[in-house]
Amino acid sequence: MTVNREIHLASRPHGWPTAENFRLVEAEVPTPGPGQLLVRNQFMSVDPYMRGRMNDVKSYVPPFALDAPLDGGAIGEVVAGEADGIAPGDTVLHGLGWREYALVDAQGARKVDPDLAPVTAYLGVLGMTGLTAYAGLLDVAAMQPGETVFVSGAAGAVGSVVGQIAKLRGAARVVGSAGSPAKVERLRALGFDAVFDYHDGPVGNSLRAAAPDGIDVYFDNVGGEHLEAAIGAMRAHGRAAICGMISQYNATEPPAAPRNLGLIIGKRITLRGFLVRDHQHLRDGFEREVAGWLREGRISYDETIVDGVANAPDAFLGLLRGENLGKMLVRL
Ligand SMILES: NC(=O)c1ccc[n+]([C@@H]2O[C@H](COP(=O)([O-])OP(=O)(O)OC[C@H]3O[C@@H](n4cnc5c(N)ncnc54)[C@H](OP(=O)(O)O)[C@@H]3O)[C@@H](O)[C@H]2O)c1
C-alpha cells in the first residue's frame, strides 16, 4: 500500500493557533472512480483565510471539519484517472491541499501548462493571490494613473503584487507597510516609492511622512490601526479596497479601531469589501497582462517554501507570524 500523509484539524483554536490544533494522519492512497483524478500534489498553499475556517462559525466558506483533512489550493501531477480531457501526466490546479495524494473530481481541477510558468506561480502571482491584487486594485478601488496608493501587508503574496501593478499601471506614488527591515528593503528594490515598518511607531505618523500629500487608494490587508491611518490620510473621493484584516484574525476581543470612521462622510470616501471569487470574469485579462509582465521581467515575485506535508502546520503558523516573504507554499 502507498501511504498518503495528510493533515487533519485536531481541535479548534481560541486566539492564536498552535501545532496541537493539527494532526498528521496516514491513510491509504485512494483509487479514482469515474470522473475522478488521483493527483500527486507537488505544492500546496497556506493562506490567511484558513484561520477563519478553523472556527466553527458561519462565513463565506464553510468551517474545516474536525478530524478530517484540511483543504485549500494545491497543484500536482495526475497519476491515475482520466476525465474531462485531463489525463495522467497533466498538471492540475485544485482545492485539495494539505495531503500528498488528492482524489479530485475532474470538474474541480484546472489543467495548467507547466512549461509556461513555474508551477508555483499558479498558486501565487498567476493564481488566487495575484488575481486578488489585480481585481482589488483595478476593479474594486478603480485606481487611476497619477494617483497615490497605499498598501498594507505589502511584502506578502497579495500586497507585493498590488504595489507592482500600481506602478505598472501608472500610479504616481506607491507606499507600502510591512513588518521587518528586510521586508522594507525588499519592497524598495521592487520599486515602491516609500516603505515603512509598522513596528517603528504609530502607523498614522509613518503614513503621513511617507505620503505627505495624502493617498487616493488604500488596499487593506491588515485592518485595525492601518485602516484608521489610511482613512486619516485619504484625500477627497478616496477609495479603499478592503481585502483582509489579518491583524484581527487571532483576536479574542473586537478591535477598537478605526475610530475616525466619521471622516468618510466629509471626504466622500468609499470603503468596499470584496472577495476574489466574485471577480473571476477578470481572470483571462489578468493572466494575459501579468504573464506578459513576467515574461518581460517587469514584475517580480517572492516565495517562501517549506518542505514536507508534516511541516504544513508550521508553514501556516509562520504565515500568521509574518515569517514569509511573498507567497508561503509547502512542497509536498
Ligand atoms: N478578499 C479576498 O478575496 C482575499 C483573497 C486573498 C487574500 N486575502 C487577504 O489578503 C491579505 C494578505 O493575504 P496573503 O495571502 O497575501 O498573505 P501574506 O500577506 O502573504 O501573509 C500574511 C502577512 O500578514 C502580515 N501580518 C500578520 N499579522 C499582522 C499584523 N498584526 N499587522 C500587520 N501585518 C500582519 C505578515 O507580514 P508582516 O511581516 O508584514 O507583518 C504576514 O506575512 C490577508 O488579510 C488575506 O486574508 C483576501
Side-chain angles (χ1 to χ4, degrees):
M1 158 183 134
T2 316
V3 169
N4 188 16
R5 295 190 305 159
E6 51 192 37
I7 303 293
H8 289 201
L9 184 65
S11 57
R12 299 193 187 279
H14 179 71
W16 281 83
T18 64
E20 285 66 47
N21 298 128
F22 303 88
R23 186 185 303 123
L24 178 68
V25 173
E26 293 193 349
E28 200 172 331
V29 174
T31 308
Q36 292 182 320
L37 309 165
L38 180 66
V39 180
R40 176 65 175 94
N41 282 336
Q42 294 160 329
F43 290 92
M44 58 166 264
S45 175
V46 286
D47 295 275
Y49 77 87
M50 292 168 175
R51 174 62 189 88
R53 295 190 65 196
M54 296 179 81
N55 299 335
D56 191 13
V57 292
K58 197 164 184 283
S59 182
Y60 60 93
V61 265
F64 291 128
L66 279 177
D67 301 318
L70 290 92
D71 57 70
I75 196 162
E77 188 187 327
V78 177
V79 290
E82 195 160 349
D84 289 5
I86 306 177
D90 286 340
T91 300
V92 291
L93 193 63
H94 61 89
L96 294 180
W98 294 89
R99 65 202 82 185
E100 291 173 327
Y101 288 87
L103 188 62
V104 178
D105 282 336
Q107 285 167 345
R110 191 160 77 93
K111 193 163 138 177
V112 297
D113 185 349
D115 297 326
L116 221 56
V119 292
T120 53
Y122 293 105
L123 292 171
V125 64
L126 282 178
M128 188 275 277
T129 53
L131 181 59
T132 303
Y134 188 89
L137 182 69
L138 303 178
D139 198 19
V140 179
M143 186 210 92
Q144 302 300 312
E147 291 191 321
T148 295
V149 175
F150 171 45
V151 53
S152 55
V158 174
S160 58
V161 176
V162 169
Q164 293 182 85
I165 294 178
K167 289 300 283 186
L168 286 161
R169 282 294 198 97
R173 186 169 179 79
V174 175
V175 176
S177 70
S180 74
K183 290 184 179 186
V184 166
E185 195 179 317
R186 175 63 184 149
L187 291 172
R188 291 208 176 101
L190 288 179
F192 281 64
D193 298 290
V195 194
F196 61 86
D197 183 336
Y198 62 84
H199 298 108
D200 285 349
V203 178
N205 294 353
S206 301
L207 182 56
R208 250 190 311 280
D213 298 326
I215 62 172
D216 302 292
V217 166
Y218 173 47
F219 193 108
D220 192 16
N221 287 316
V222 168
E225 190 190 355
H226 273 85
L227 178 56
E228 183 171 297
I231 290 171
M234 279 272 187
R235 292 182 180 141
H237 303 288
R239 287 97 54 211
I242 310 295
C243 174
M245 296 200 172
I246 196 164
S247 70
Q248 295 161 212
Y249 293 173
N250 296 310
T252 48
E253 294 296 324
R259 295 161 297 188
N260 57 354
L261 208 49
L263 288 179
I264 73 171
I265 303 161
K267 295 192 189 188
R268 285 85 98 207
I269 292 171
T270 305
L271 305 180
R272 195 174 149 206
F274 74 101
L275 289 176
V276 62
R277 66 151 80 139
D278 298 332
H279 298 264
Q280 295 302 322
H281 59 285
L282 298 177
R283 178 173 286 284
D284 287 349
F286 151 75
E287 280 181 351
R288 237 188 342 269
E289 196 163 8
V290 175
W293 287 329
L294 283 168
R295 259 195 315 276
E296 294 159 9
R298 299 172 75 198
I299 197 165
S300 306
Y301 63 97
D302 295 311
E303 295 172 335
T304 303
I305 295 180
V306 169
D307 273 299
V309 70
N311 294 320
D314 281 346
F316 174 67
L317 299 175
L319 173 83
L320 297 178
R321 285 193 293 260
E323 288 167 10
N324 58 309
L325 187 63
K327 182 80 194 96
M328 185 69 116
L329 294 168
V330 182
R331 186 187 284 118
L332 296 169

